[in-house]
Amino acid sequence: KMVVIKGGFHMTIGGKIQYYRKMNDYSQEDLAKKIGVSRQAISKWERDDSIPDLVNGTKLCSLFNITIEDLLRSEEHTSELQ
C-alpha cells in the first residue's frame, strides 16, 4: 500500500511486507508458515490493520534479507527529477 503525499508517495509497513513477500514469490500462507503466524496475521499487516511485533518483524527482515530500518523507515519517493 502506498500513500500519496505532496509531490510523491511513501510505502507503508504493510505495503513493504506485501512487496517483499511477492518479490520472494510467497503466498500469504507460505509466509505465515515460515515465520510461525497465521495467514490472517499476514493479511492484517499487509492491510495496515496492525503491525508485526518486534519478534515477528525481526523474522520478516531476516527472511527478506533486509534491516528493521528498511522495514520501518518511511521513505519518500518523488516523481520530480533531481
Side-chain angles (χ1 to χ4, degrees):
K1 182 176 179 182
M2 289 184 280
V3 178
V4 176
I5 56 176
K6 186 175 183 179
F9 64 89
H10 78 273
M11 193 177 296
T12 65
I13 293 170
K16 290 179 185 181
I17 293 169
Q18 184 179 58
Y19 170 80
Y20 286 113
R21 174 179 63 79
K22 289 181 176 183
M23 289 296 295
N24 285 279
D25 201 29
Y26 298 142
S27 67
Q28 287 183 342
E29 187 70 31
D30 294 335
L31 181 56
K33 287 179 182 177
K34 288 184 179 295
I35 65 168
V37 299
S38 69
R39 185 204 52 79
Q40 290 83 357
I42 302 297
S43 179
K44 285 181 181 181
W45 297 342
E46 289 185 357
R47 290 191 322 261
D48 293 307
D49 287 344
S50 65
I51 59 171
D53 63 18
L54 188 56
V55 171
N56 289 320
T58 302
K59 289 179 184 178
L60 287 169
C61 291
S62 179
L63 183 64
F64 295 149
N65 197 30
I66 61 174
T67 66
I68 198 76
E69 185 178 344
D70 292 334
L71 182 63
L72 300 179
R73 181 181 49 222
S74 177
E75 297 174 345
E76 183 176 331
H77 302 276
T78 63
S79 57
E80 299 174 23
L81 294 175
Q82 299 289 327

